[in-house]
Amino acid sequence: ARKKILKEKGVSPDSFEESVAQALFDLEATSAELKGDLRDLYIMSAKEVDVSGGRKAVVIHIPFRLRKGFQKISERLVRELEKKLSGKHVVLVAQRKLSKPPKSGYSLARPRSRSLTAVHESLLNDVCYPTEIVGKRTRFAADGTKTMICYLDKKEKSTLEGKLETFSAVYKALTGKDVWFGFQD
């Protein structure tokens, strides 16, 4: 189970991260359909996020380089992890790096993918993967607060109806921005 979580040098995983890594290890050992795909995959960290109604969601940070491997099996993996973690919703998010904006006028010093806007945009896509975002709006309230409204593909409405609050809570916890998820009519 220790091979399924990789932390920075000198940092040891806490008990919750160990339990998520153990669940991944158990899935690799028992599930025949996931065994080959999970062999080379590992996680960076995991944390619990409070969702409204006293429920909790599990956010699992995965290495950016292994993102495609996780996305290939994400539906089956999330379903099995939700069973193992006593019905908590599971969200897989790639670990991305932010770079500071350049101080001088040399704008090529930082790739666009490392900017705050691009990272937050990618996190939004990660949170609701495998569903596509088909539309986005930004609503400005009279008191000056901003809320982003994301419309998801309505083909997935039956499977995602119960997870919309989870997506909002996870994105708020990761970025500090308010977002509302719905389905386009």
Side-chain angles (χ1 to χ4, degrees), residues 80-144:
E80 294 297 324
L81 281 174
E82 284 175 352
K83 286 181 199 170
K84 289 240 184 231
L85 299 172
S86 63
K88 297 176 185 170
H89 288 161
V90 174
V91 178
L92 298 172
V93 176
Q95 187 80 34
R96 290 185 167 82
K97 290 185 177 143
L98 278 173
S99 296
K100 292 180 181 175
K103 295 279 187 212
S104 63
Y106 186 56
S107 64
L108 299 176
R110 168 180 76 161
R112 167 91 170 93
S113 64
R114 300 282 171 88
S115 68
L116 182 74
T117 307
V119 168
H120 284 190
E121 198 71 28
S122 299
L123 280 173
L124 189 63
N125 288 327
D126 282 353
V127 164
C128 48
Y129 187 84
T131 308
E132 278 188 48
I133 297 174
V134 293
K136 279 188 226 161
R137 309 281 184 274
T138 304
R139 178 167 291 156
F140 295 92
D143 61 352

